């Protein structure tokens, strides 16, 4: 068995240990703000890597306690150009990216070690997923929800934008990579080509956003977007994040017909982010009780990784975890009969 094959099975192993569907953590900025962090900044939650790293570790621990099998690092909006614009050196910027992985790994290891004195616990040893937000997330203008990057952005520029961040996050010791809120086929292709060019051997997932529940934000069909992903053995899972939860069940069905890869979903609460006004707009939200109900439906529809995104909390993740555990227990009971 080759090294690449073994590392690529880490995510599959976790899904199997979790009974067929693993739990991803939830909203990060929401919890940071709850604990007093001021993140109204283009760096968003990544600002805490500079100012409040202890809060990042605290939030990771809260999600582990809630039952998360995957921790996503605080690097979604942590980009080298973003840090440089704050007056940091390249060395300092790269160090902060490394710190995003280190904080998650330290939280995971501390939590796992604490379970040695807890007989019969039902937790899995979590994986750390290094978040790589879309180019639109760096622009901080809401374009991750439109896919409109302008005529000057091409495939090579997107690869150049992501390349060094990807290298640093992999070398920092992440277990897998999470490309998030990808809004168009061009950036999806850039991510895939980077994985190939850099010969990345840890698993990865690529998640799109969606504003209409049918297509990528750019208006391109998911069939077109997924074609390039399906041809790569560097991509282990494909899915949707930060879309309204009302869209998720039908999108799982759509993706099931378009790919044989694992399907990952972690929607937001249903509130709508106004990227220009920098505020959340009231809308039809899902509470924890609805997430608990729909997590079971999403699993039955074919999702193998389920969590929450913006405005979800550890209590949301606990509800998801509880729902999936009940399904697993019911399945085991049925098998015994």
């Amino acid at each position: 068995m080759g090294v690449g094959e073994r590392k690529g099975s880490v995510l599959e192993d976790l899904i199997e240990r979790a009974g067929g569907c693993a739990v991803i953590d939830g909203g990060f900025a929401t919890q940071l703000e709850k604990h007093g962090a001021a993140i109204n900044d283009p760096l968003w939650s990544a600002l805490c890597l500079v100012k409040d790293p202890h809060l990042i570790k605290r939030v990771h621990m809260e999600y582990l306690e809630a039952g998360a099998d995957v921790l996503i690092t605080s690097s979604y909006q942590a980009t080298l150009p973003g840090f440089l614009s704050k007056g940091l050196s390249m060395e300092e910027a790269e160090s902060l990216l490394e710190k995003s992985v280190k904080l998650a790994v330290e939280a995971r290891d501390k939590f796992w070690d604490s379970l040695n004195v807890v007989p019969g616990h039902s937790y899995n040893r979590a994986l750390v997923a290094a978040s790589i937000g879309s180019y639109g997330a760096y622009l901080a203008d809401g374009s991750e929800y439109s896919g409109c990057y302008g005529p000057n952005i091409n495939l090579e520029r997107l690869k150049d934008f992501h390349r060094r961040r990807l290298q640093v996050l992999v070398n920092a010791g992440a277990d897998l990579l999470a490309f998030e809120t990808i809004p168009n086929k061009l950036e999806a292709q850039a991510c895939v080509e980077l994985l190939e060019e850099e010969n990345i051997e840890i698993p990865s997932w690529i998640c799109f956003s969606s504003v209409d529940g049918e297509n990528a934000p750019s208006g391109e069909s998911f069939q077109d977007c997924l074609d390039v992903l399906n041809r790569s053995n560097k991509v282990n899972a494909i899915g949707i994040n930060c879309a309204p939860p009302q869209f998720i069940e039908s999108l799982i069905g759509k993706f099931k017909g378009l790919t044989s890869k694992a399907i990952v979903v972690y929607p937001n609460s249903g509130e709508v982010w106004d990227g220009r006004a920098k505020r959340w707009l009231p809308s039809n939200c899902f509470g924890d009780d609805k997430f608990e109900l729909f997590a079971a439906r999403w699993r039955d529809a074919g999702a193998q990784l389920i969590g929450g995104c913006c405005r979800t909390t550890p209590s949301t993740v606990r509800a998801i975890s509880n729902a999936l555990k009940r399904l697993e227990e019911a399945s085991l009971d049925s098998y015994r009969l």
Side-chain angles (χ1 to χ4, degrees):
M1 180 180 290
V3 173
E5 183 183 354
R6 178 63 209 141
K7 289 187 176 179
S9 70
V10 170
L11 185 58
E12 295 169 8
D13 289 347
L14 175 68
I15 292 170
E16 184 177 349
R17 291 200 310 274
C21 189
V23 179
I24 304 170
D25 63 11
F28 213 83
T30 303
Q31 280 302 104
L32 290 172
E33 288 181 318
K34 178 181 176 182
H35 295 317
I39 55 176
N40 185 15
D41 186 272
L43 288 177
W44 200 33
S45 56
L47 188 64
C48 286
L49 289 168
V50 181
K51 294 188 171 184
D52 301 295
H54 66 286
L55 292 183
I56 292 174
K57 204 166 179 179
R58 178 177 177 182
V59 172
H60 284 321
M61 291 295 287
E62 289 172 336
Y63 278 116
L64 289 166
E65 291 163 359
D69 299 312
V70 180
L71 288 181
I72 299 179
T73 64
S74 52
S75 53
Y76 174 77
Q77 218 145 319
T79 66
L80 297 175
F83 286 136
L84 294 176
S85 72
K86 294 292 184 180
L88 299 175
S89 68
M90 181 61 76
E91 183 180 2
E92 290 169 327
E94 292 186 0
S95 176
L96 288 171
L97 281 175
E98 293 169 355
K99 183 187 285 189
S100 72
V101 175
K102 180 181 178 182
L103 290 169
V105 169
E106 287 177 350
R108 185 267 312 277
D109 291 348
K110 179 180 179 181
F111 181 74
W112 189 246
D113 288 346
S114 73
L115 295 176
N116 287 333
V117 296
V118 183
H121 69 80
S122 60
Y123 292 100
N124 298 304
R125 186 175 185 273
L127 297 180
V128 170
S131 172
I132 299 178
S134 63
Y135 179 68
Y138 156 67
L139 295 177
D141 62 358
S143 56
E144 69 265 48
Y145 302 110
S146 71
C148 298
Y149 289 165
N152 296 323
I153 299 300
N154 57 30
L155 185 66
E156 292 305 316
R157 286 194 63 176
L158 287 172
K159 287 196 290 185
D160 288 344
F161 171 77
H162 285 299
R163 190 180 304 274
R164 184 57 188 155
R165 174 167 57 158
L166 179 147
Q167 292 169 340
V168 172
L169 291 170
V170 170
N171 291 335
D175 298 308
L176 64 147
L177 296 173
F179 294 92
E180 303 187 287
T181 60
I182 302 301
N184 54 40
K185 179 181 178 180
L186 183 68
E187 192 160 19
Q189 184 176 348
C191 296
V192 170
E193 291 191 12
L194 267 182
L195 292 170
E196 301 283 351
E197 291 171 13
E198 297 297 322
N199 193 26
I200 300 302
E201 293 185 337
I202 62 174
S204 70
W205 73 56
I206 295 180
C207 280
F208 297 88
S209 49
S210 181
V211 294
D212 64 3
E214 293 287 337
N215 303 294
S218 61
E220 295 164 303
S221 73
F222 281 123
Q223 180 171 352
D224 286 344
C225 292
L226 266 59
D227 276 349
V228 65
L229 277 58
N230 284 330
R231 292 194 294 268
S232 174
N233 63 8
K234 299 288 187 182
V235 179
N236 301 78
I238 301 173
I240 295 288
N241 80 289
C242 215
Q246 297 90 336
F247 295 165
I248 297 302
E249 192 167 359
S250 64
L251 284 171
I252 293 171
K254 182 185 289 285
F255 278 36
K256 283 287 286 184
L258 296 174
T259 186
S260 60
K261 296 181 187 292
I263 293 175
V264 49
V265 293
Y266 46 116
N268 57 37
S269 67
E271 293 168 84
V272 177
W273 175 248
D274 185 331
R276 296 193 179 279
K278 301 290 190 296
R279 65 189 182 95
W280 289 97
L281 303 177
S283 59
N284 185 20
C285 299
F286 268 35
D288 294 344
D289 55 340
K290 274 198 171 182
F291 267 96
E292 189 165 357
L293 171 66
F294 276 82
R297 290 171 57 166
W298 298 336
R299 184 195 188 283
D300 288 344
Q304 292 179 274
L305 293 138
I306 299 175
C309 202
C310 294
R311 310 291 276 184
T312 62
T313 68
S315 64
T316 311
V317 169
R318 183 172 288 106
I320 293 169
S321 177
N322 289 340
L324 297 180
K325 284 176 181 174
R326 281 198 298 273
L327 279 177
E328 183 184 5
E329 290 166 359
S331 176
L332 289 173
D333 289 344
S334 174
Y335 176 77
R336 293 187 188 104
L337 293 173

